[in-house]
Amino acid sequence: MTENIATPVEINEPIHYDPGTIEPRWQQYWQLNKIYEADFGSKKEKFYCLVEFPYPSGAGLHVGHARSYASMDAFVRYKRMKGFNALYPMGWDAFGLPAENYAIKVGIHPSKTVAENIAHFKVQCQSLGLSFDWSREINTTDPAYYRQTQWIFLRLLKEGLAYRNEVSVNWCPTCRTNLADEEVLADGMHERCGNPTEKRSQTQWLLRITKYAQRLLDDLKLVDYSDKIRVQQENWIGRKEGITIKFKISAQGSDVIEAFTTRPDTMFGATFIVLAPEHYLVERIMKGEVKVDAKTSREIKAYVASSRSKTEIDRNSKGRKKTGVFTGLFGLNNLNGKLLPIWISDFVLSHFGTGAVVGVPGHDQRDFEFAKQFGLPITRVVVGPDGDTSEITELVQVQEEAGKMVNSDFLDGLEIREAINKMTDHLEAKGFGKRTVTFHLRDWVFSRQHYWGEPIPVVHCPQCGVVPVPEKDLPVELPFVEKYEPSGTGESPLAKIATWVNTACPVCSAPAKRETDTMPNWAGSNWYYLGYLLADKLGNSKSQNDPGVAQDDVILASEARPESTSDTNIFSTTKNLINHWMPVDIYEGGFEHTTLHLLYSRFIYKFLFDLGVVPGPEPYAKRRSHGIVLGPDGRKMSKSFGNVINPDEIVKQYGSDTLRLYEMFMGPFEQSVSWSDSSLQGCYRFLTRVNRLTLKNVTNEETPKELLIALQAVIKKVGEDIEALKFNTAVAILMEFINGWENNNLKYEDAETFLRLLAPFAPHLAEELRHKLLISTGWDADSRGSIHLLSWPVYDPELLKQDRVFIVVQVNGKLRDRFEIEAGADERSVTAAAKALPKVKKYLSNEHLKIIFVPGKLINFVVTD
Ligand code: ANZ
Ligand code: ZN
């Protein structure tokens, strides 16, 4: 590998930092020598670093992508130098609406725009010098790739985890398409087009993710996610323990209502029952199966119709004006024989609990608002703060966490917690209710009525019903279409291609029709971390969807392909590979994907685990997320604000090393940061100085002791900081170090050590300078290959001990003393030394001492007495 250096560096170049010349040269060298390809035959310890693969939009790579990719690139480069066999792959999540919408607008086939966008993204990634292993590139729209996506779907179907059901779906009248909940913003607008959405009912494919809800929650214990991410997962899963209570409906035969509550302690305070407009009893009333008078029936019908257009937030928020209709019916409270009027109101959600609520207006704010609106009685059953037992009249209601029960028969005097247990036991013993666990998580609506997605591989046969396409016939390829417009009826544009839709039933050979729904754009990213491992096995099959092929003579690759004889399950033939590389060691990406994509891919991975395809229950051992890069004005970057920073421009002006370094230096990795040109220029100046110092201040004489000691501290700190994803402080200490270099010379070896430390952050310049060092000195280094294949420097602990710093000691923020200690000293030893100082000691009472410690700099004792 080291023999064929493609582009030797000229020795007599001027001392001028010219990234525009050196960067493309080294990029080419790295690529030719394949230095970043993971070794799939290696016995070295593996390290799998995953960053979220982009949707290749027309806008190209933005500085947010660059923050993630460059930082993790530094991390991976460091791991390689630490001796790991690292895998850092990249690919394209290329199905989805934008390409389709663009096709509708300008009439260019999505496969064409996607290919162009990918080419552009790839050039951008390469111009950043990212060390991706391009030999494992994947593309979710490649038939060879989505063949596996379809295979997973068929297995889900086989296990009863994919099913069809009539569901209430979000409908965007503008895009004329159905949407998943997560595509609808909090204000009810469609995430992509910004227009209002509605609800309507349609048969859809769903995945039974709820069956995995408990495991998705429990297994968070097995992984290392940052707290914020873990909490997002927990909240979305939303496990709640409570009880479902039965209420007989008076004068209506056998009908009962079941209501889910987390507060059975308050049941003596129940004064009404409320049903969601979608509740089955409401449906029965409207069909005339449950009798109410004609006027009420009309009112109910009108009310149910009007609630259709409201969003969940509109319906359920506290403080919104409550609406509703009284049904004229009553439910029996078994506890005290009281009759509770049954109302219908849209603040009750159909898909949470049982879609029916016991109204306890004394202690639940939405119930309170409802009771006020309709003049329903309000009963106190929990004693308020300060022993308040008066009637409840104020508008402000709290759902209390603690308090004693009143007006509640056998619960009187008990604390809420005890009362909940006692009541739950009582209701269960009497057969009035049943302990229930509910989840916020819903089954996942998995079909879209769109063209640009993976076809769902089933056939509808008039005799046999829904028939899966046999695995050997996968992939079911997307045909080429000329018209992409949604049909507007809610059907996919695929429904209009007769030659594709009409097929034979795989079971009985009778004429049958293909499913025309496609998968949502989350489907391909469910398993892409495995896709990289199989990239070569997936083959580089090019799509047959050549835009030049006319619609009528569509040829599907699956038809043209000879009868497949091999194992249809690629996963089983690559088991060793998967067992070796999984789980992903670290997964990094934006916060916008830490709820759904993370949950969906965890679910699919668990399913694959149950099938025996993967070695463990969790795909990602560790997950972190970077903060957003905001515009220079502190606002989110957006075309409309005119504050978008284009990475290409920065690379052109300053070089990619400066951009990379700056994106790591800009602030703590997990925090959002505003773009700063002056800080960017500071990074450029730093690299310019490194360039000059390496070419001028290097000799064959020993490095001065001070500087050598300082270098040991840098080795230690940069390594520790990278491990902790503290890229900004790692860069800061490199910057600090060169101040000491300015008036001194470093010996070759030590200069090279510094370059090794710089290599993860500024890979081009580090490579260039080391190369120049080798050539100009004739010095025989241990290897003449790339700096990125050298080992990470090791510091000398003896020398490090001699590195001393001054610590400032404060008490309540006031300077009291300072003292010298070895640079790496930890909080415990610094605290002990500082406490012993006479000038400090006299201010410290031993109790209530809070310590603020800034390593290497300061300790502040906060005495609160
Ligand atoms: C009686 C009660 C008394 C409730 C009380 C609360 C406080 P949280 O509150 O988030 O834990 N609920 C049940 N099903 C519902 C539905 N389909 N739509 C809207 N609200 C519904 O969620 C549980 C509570 O939400 C339940 O407990 C119920 O109100 C309400 F002092 O029942 B509770
Ligand atoms: Zn059939």
Side-chain angles (χ1 to χ4, degrees):
M1 181 179 290
T2 56
E3 298 313 312
N4 49 345
I5 289 177
T7 48
V9 177
E10 282 178 37
I11 302 171
N12 293 325
E13 272 181 6
I15 299 177
H16 165 63
Y17 176 40
D18 180 14
T21 310
I22 64 176
E23 292 185 351
R25 188 165 61 203
W26 288 113
Q27 284 159 15
Q28 200 191 355
Y29 168 80
W30 296 332
Q31 216 174 329
L32 278 174
N33 291 287
K34 302 180 185 317
I35 71 167
Y36 303 129
E37 288 185 11
D39 183 352
F40 270 48
S42 170
K43 292 223 155 60
K44 281 200 285 184
E45 195 178 341
K46 65 99 182 179
F47 187 81
Y48 189 172
C49 177
L50 187 69
V51 284
E52 282 168 0
F53 63 160
Y55 173 77
S57 78
L61 200 87
H62 57 70
V63 289
H65 289 122
R67 189 177 193 193
S68 163
Y69 300 167
S71 304
M72 296 319 285
D73 192 59
F75 194 88
V76 167
R77 286 175 184 276
Y78 162 79
K79 284 287 184 185
R80 281 195 198 100
M81 292 175 85
K82 288 288 266 186
F84 286 86
N85 179 27
L87 173 61
Y88 189 40
M90 182 41 60
W92 317 105
D93 191 15
F95 271 130
L97 259 184
E100 183 163 334
N101 286 342
Y102 187 71
I104 293 170
K105 217 167 96 188
V106 303
I108 298 175
H109 194 270
S111 63
K112 191 147 182 271
T113 44
V114 161
E116 284 167 7
N117 293 348
I118 287 177
H120 180 218
F121 259 81
K122 199 166 168 181
V123 166
Q124 287 184 303
C125 286
Q126 284 166 343
S127 83
L128 285 176
L130 298 168
S131 67
F132 291 131
D133 178 349
W134 289 108
S135 72
R136 320 220 131 251
E137 180 180 350
I138 52 168
N139 175 345
T140 57
T141 67
D142 183 340
Y145 183 93
Y146 67 69
R147 177 189 190 283
Q148 284 309 104
T149 314
Q150 291 175 334
W151 182 88
I152 294 172
F153 180 87
L154 289 181
R155 291 298 167 109
L156 287 160
L157 186 62
K158 193 168 164 186
E159 303 299 326
L161 292 167
Y163 65 101
R164 278 177 13 122
N165 203 1
E166 175 106 353
V167 288
S168 156
V169 294
N170 304 296
W171 166 255
C172 175
T174 312
C175 299
R176 284 178 294 157
T177 183
N178 300 326
L179 306 170
D181 281 350
E182 52 275 15
E183 292 167 309
V184 178
L185 301 175
D187 59 0
M189 300 298 165
H190 179 197
E191 168 205 52
R192 289 219 204 273
C193 77
N195 293 303
T197 61
E198 295 168 1
K199 292 267 181 200
R200 67 180 218 171
S201 170
Q202 188 161 1
T203 302
Q204 296 278 8
W205 283 96
L206 287 100
L207 297 188
R208 223 179 281 283
I209 189 174
T210 50
K211 202 178 160 199
Y212 283 71
Q214 191 65 51
R215 284 168 69 187
L216 287 165
L217 186 67
D218 291 344
D219 290 356
L220 288 170
K221 289 191 203 81
L222 307 177
V223 291
D224 169 11
Y225 289 1
S226 53
D227 279 348
K228 191 170 160 191
I229 300 172
R230 185 180 38 74
V231 169
Q232 276 177 331
Q233 293 280 295
E234 285 169 356
N235 288 348
W236 193 263
I237 296 166
R239 184 184 195 276
K240 273 193 180 136
E241 281 179 19
I243 185 163
T244 307
I245 304 178
K246 282 192 199 130
F247 298 89
K248 243 187 246 144
I249 303 178
S250 60
Q252 286 294 339
S254 60
D255 272 304
V256 287
I257 292 172
E258 297 195 331
F260 172 74
T261 175
T262 48
R263 292 292 305 277
D265 57 309
T266 62
M267 282 307 105
F268 286 103
T271 57
F272 54 93
I273 289 170
V274 195
L275 309 177
E278 300 84 357
H279 195 269
Y280 84 96
L281 192 75
V282 179
E283 217 162 273
R284 280 170 54 77
I285 293 174
M286 294 200 294
K287 283 186 189 152
E289 292 166 8
V290 172
K291 291 278 170 282
V292 299
D293 67 63
K295 183 167 162 279
T296 306
S297 169
R298 276 197 307 277
E299 279 171 11
I300 291 176
K301 279 180 187 155
Y303 184 77
V304 169
S306 79
S307 65
R308 287 242 167 85
S309 62
K310 292 195 197 163
T311 66
E312 187 158 314
I313 301 279
D314 259 342
R315 288 174 53 160
N316 192 243
S317 296
K318 290 176 183 163
R320 298 277 168 124
K321 185 172 186 292
K322 297 288 173 282
T323 56
V325 215
F326 177 45
T327 60
L329 304 171
F330 292 86
L332 175 70
N333 186 352
N334 281 311
L335 288 167
N336 52 11
K338 275 200 181 144
L339 288 179
L340 307 172
I342 300 174
W343 286 69
I344 300 168
S345 173
D346 58 17
F347 81 86
V348 179
L349 304 173
S350 59
H351 56 242
F352 178 54
T354 59
V357 167
V358 221
V360 184
H363 304 280
D364 177 272
Q365 190 173 339
R366 279 172 296 224
D367 295 350
F368 176 76
E369 289 160 4
F370 191 78
K372 278 278 182 194
Q373 183 72 32
F374 295 104
L376 298 163
I378 301 172
T379 308
R380 178 194 286 282
V381 288
V382 182
V383 181
D386 312 326
D388 186 3
T389 54
S390 62
E391 256 183 59
I392 292 168
T393 50
E394 294 117 71
L395 199 76
V396 183
Q397 276 291 314
V398 277
Q399 225 155 293
E400 40 300 84
E401 302 280 305
K404 280 200 164 59
M405 307 306 302
V406 287
N407 304 329
S408 293
D409 199 301
F410 62 92
L411 299 180
D412 282 354
L414 293 180
E415 273 295 324
I416 289 178
R417 282 280 121 221
E418 301 167 293
I420 289 175
N421 287 334
K422 187 154 185 186
M423 180 59 101
T424 305
D425 290 343
H426 178 79
L427 290 169
E428 279 204 323
K430 291 276 187 181
F432 298 156
K434 205 169 176 308
R435 277 188 163 79
T436 312
V437 173
T438 65
F439 292 93
H440 168 261
L441 187 65
R442 307 260 66 87
D443 275 347
W444 176 13
V445 178
F446 199 69
S447 44
R448 297 289 183 278
Q449 290 67 49
H450 276 304
Y451 169 65
W452 194 234
E454 301 87 347
I456 290 179
V458 305
V459 161
H460 298 273
C461 168
Q463 271 93 56
C464 315
V466 172
V467 181
V469 169
E471 282 176 15
K472 69 172 177 44
D473 293 339
L474 295 181
V476 175
E477 281 204 54
L478 259 183
F480 177 71
V481 216
E482 268 163 10
K483 295 247 174 298
Y484 319 97
E485 280 82 357
S487 63
T489 58
E491 264 186 323
S492 149
L494 289 175
K496 292 196 257 177
I497 309 171
T499 48
W500 185 79
V501 171
N502 293 315
T503 183
C505 170
V507 175
C508 73
S509 303
K513 288 193 185 304
R514 287 187 193 281
E515 170 66 65
T516 59
D517 282 357
T518 54
M519 298 185 199
N521 53 345
W522 310 93
S525 58
N526 278 331
W527 68 279
Y528 77 114
Y529 41 82
L530 299 176
Y532 291 126
L533 306 180
L534 317 179
D536 47 341
K537 312 286 186 298
L538 293 173
N540 273 337
S541 105
K542 276 290 150 252
S543 171
Q544 296 290 303
N545 298 335
D546 185 330
V549 182
Q551 177 180 320
D552 279 343
D553 39 44
V554 156
I555 307 164
L556 299 172
S558 42
E559 287 167 14
R561 204 166 283 158
E563 199 63 6
S564 157
T565 47
S566 62
D567 192 335
T568 56
N569 176 7
I570 294 179
F571 292 134
S572 78
T573 60
T574 49
K575 209 171 158 68
N576 290 340
L577 210 64
I578 293 173
N579 287 348
H580 176 73
W581 283 99
M582 291 306 290
V584 166
D585 294 279
I586 185 165
Y587 187 19
E588 203 287 315
F591 275 108
E592 65 275 25
H593 290 137
T594 45
T595 314
L596 296 161
H597 158 63
L598 205 59
L599 199 65
Y600 293 158
S601 55
R602 292 180 60 221
F603 159 53
I604 293 300
Y605 195 79
K606 286 187 185 305
F607 171 66
L608 294 174
F609 176 58
D610 293 346
L611 290 185
V613 168
V614 296
E618 287 288 334
Y620 321 115
K622 185 167 172 168
R623 165 78 197 205
R624 293 291 182 274
S625 285
H626 60 275
I628 312 173
V629 182
L630 301 165
D633 54 2
R635 291 191 289 183
K636 208 177 159 172
M637 281 191 196
S638 146
K639 266 199 208 138
S640 58
F641 297 148
N643 62 354
V644 179
I645 303 288
N646 179 350
D648 292 348
E649 297 289 312
I650 307 292
V651 170
K652 223 196 284 163
Q653 213 177 337
Y654 297 98
S656 95
D657 279 345
T658 295
L659 174 63
R660 299 167 56 112
L661 195 76
Y662 170 57
E663 294 238 22
M664 288 182 253
F665 183 59
M666 57 173 36
F669 188 55
E670 301 202 58
Q671 286 173 23
S672 23
V673 198
S674 303
W675 184 269
S676 153
D677 277 334
S678 64
S679 180
L680 174 79
Q681 284 152 7
C683 290
Y684 179 74
R685 276 195 301 275
F686 164 68
L687 293 180
T688 308
R689 281 175 74 197
V690 171
N691 184 62
R692 176 171 48 77
L693 290 169
T694 312
L695 298 178
K696 295 194 87 172
N697 292 18
V698 174
T699 68
N700 54 8
E701 280 152 34
E702 290 303 316
T703 300
K705 189 82 177 284
E706 302 270 279
L707 209 50
L708 199 59
I709 290 170
L711 187 59
Q712 308 310 302
V714 178
I715 298 173
K716 179 164 186 281
K717 176 115 172 81
V718 172
E720 288 171 357
D721 282 357
I722 293 179
E723 292 278 6
L725 307 188
K726 291 183 182 164
F727 304 106
N728 57 328
T729 51
V731 173
I733 192 158
L734 289 171
M735 290 177 167
E736 210 176 297
F737 175 77
I738 68 164
N739 291 333
W741 187 0
E742 199 65 65
N743 302 314
N744 289 294
N745 288 331
L746 284 182
K747 195 180 181 186
Y748 304 134
E749 285 98 313
D750 299 325
E752 200 226 25
T753 296
F754 178 80
L755 294 177
R756 288 193 206 198
L757 300 176
L758 181 69
F761 305 94
H764 307 85
L765 183 62
E767 186 84 287
E768 171 83 6
L769 291 176
R770 173 170 180 273
H771 211 76
K772 280 183 173 158
L773 271 188
L774 290 184
I775 291 171
S776 66
T777 62
W779 165 51
D780 189 27
D782 51 351
S783 156
R784 287 191 158 258
S786 169
I787 191 171
H788 303 293
L789 301 177
L790 299 184
S791 60
W792 188 250
V794 181
Y795 59 85
D796 177 348
E798 284 310 310
L799 274 178
L800 189 62
K801 269 190 202 150
Q802 297 173 34
D803 183 24
R804 302 186 71 78
V805 287
F806 275 102
I807 304 275
V808 165
V809 188
Q810 299 177 333
V811 179
N812 290 339
K814 270 211 189 81
L815 177 70
R816 293 301 177 191
D817 206 353
R818 61 204 300 269
F819 70 103
E820 208 189 279
I821 193 165
E822 57 180 86
D826 62 4
E827 178 165 344
R828 246 183 62 211
S829 39
V830 172
T831 305
K835 273 183 171 174
L837 298 168
K839 285 191 207 160
V840 174
K841 209 172 180 175
K842 60 182 177 193
Y843 294 105
L844 302 181
S845 60
N846 275 335
E847 275 154 284
H848 308 298
L849 206 58
K850 218 183 107 195
I851 294 170
I852 298 164
F853 176 58
V854 183
K857 291 215 166 69
L858 171 147
I859 186 158
N860 180 12
F861 296 103
V862 184
V863 186
T864 50
D865 59 43

